[in-house]
Amino acid sequence: FIKTPAFVKNLDTWLFKNDKRAATYLDLHRQHIPLHFRKYDKPLYRGMAVDKKFLEELKKKGFVKFETQSSWSKDENMAKKFVNDPKYRLGHGGTRILIKRQFKSAELILDIEAFCQLFDKKELMEAGLDELSYDSAMKEREVLVERKIEVKSESVIFL
């Protein structure tokens, strides 16, 4: 299943366009993704610029729930670099934060870096994965996480 054109196309669309429909496709077909691509036992990181509403909810409830699937990095420095990038900050005002969170394998959809490492790059390109998407996934060390996850206030670091 994971080498089918539909799977690879949706993975590429998620990586290249951050398309929520593609993430939902991957999420809905998660049972076909081998467990070793949905397992990572170290913390993951996500850099974000958040608005006042996000901060108020975090303070009031002690956690925030992510309503959509999200992309996280295995590399703390990559997550910081992302949120500090002037191109990102231009379109995303607000308070910059870094989230550090440990996940259960049931919350992970796909360790994209592990997926890309297993297969030959040429083979993935032939299946429909764009070279830029491949390079980005490897550089950013991405992991796709399910929707409805909770992030507790103690997991948030203000930058």
Side-chain angles (χ1 to χ4, degrees):
F1 173 77
I2 59 174
K3 289 170 65 176
T4 64
F7 179 85
V8 174
K9 179 179 183 261
N10 279 284
L11 176 58
D12 185 65
T13 302
W14 165 253
L15 291 169
F16 193 68
K17 298 180 183 173
N18 194 20
D19 185 298
K20 300 300 180 201
R21 289 173 298 184
T24 298
Y25 172 90
L26 297 170
D27 193 1
L28 290 172
H29 293 87
R30 164 181 0 188
Q31 73 274 14
H32 300 296
I33 301 171
L35 185 58
H36 62 275
F37 292 130
R38 295 184 289 118
K39 193 173 187 176
Y40 189 72
D41 60 1
K42 295 178 183 162
L44 293 174
Y45 303 89
R46 181 170 172 84
M48 298 175 62
V50 297
D51 60 16
K52 189 176 179 180
K53 182 181 173 188
F54 181 99
L55 295 173
E56 287 171 354
E57 184 177 346
L58 184 64
K59 186 176 180 181
K60 180 181 174 183
K61 295 181 179 178
F63 70 92
V64 174
K65 190 175 278 194
F66 279 55
E67 294 301 321
T68 62
Q69 296 89 353
S70 52
S71 178
W72 294 65
S73 178
K74 296 176 185 177
D75 183 341
E76 179 178 1
N77 291 323
M78 183 55 66
K80 286 179 182 175
K81 184 178 175 186
F82 174 77
V83 77
N84 287 319
D85 186 322
K87 291 182 279 184
Y88 174 78
R89 291 176 62 190
L90 190 63
H92 299 84
T95 304
R96 292 175 297 119
I97 63 169
L98 177 72
I99 304 170
K100 177 182 178 182
R101 186 178 187 281
Q102 189 84 27
F103 289 91
K104 300 175 200 154
S105 59
E107 296 172 310
L108 303 180
I109 298 172
L110 179 64
D111 179 338
I112 300 167
E113 180 189 38
F115 172 79
C116 289
Q117 286 177 332
L118 184 69
F119 299 105
D120 178 62
K121 183 176 180 179
K122 182 180 175 191
E123 187 178 15
L124 290 173
M125 303 300 116
E126 289 170 357
L129 188 67
D130 184 88
E131 189 167 4
L132 289 173
S133 295
Y134 176 90
D135 292 341
S136 171
M138 295 303 287
K139 179 180 149 196
E140 295 173 13
R141 305 185 67 211
E142 279 190 79
V143 177
L144 182 59
V145 175
E146 71 178 1
R147 60 191 193 92
K148 304 285 186 191
I149 60 140
E150 290 184 1
V151 171
K152 295 181 180 174
S153 56
E154 58 264 21
S155 300
V156 176
I157 302 161
F158 290 88
L159 300 176

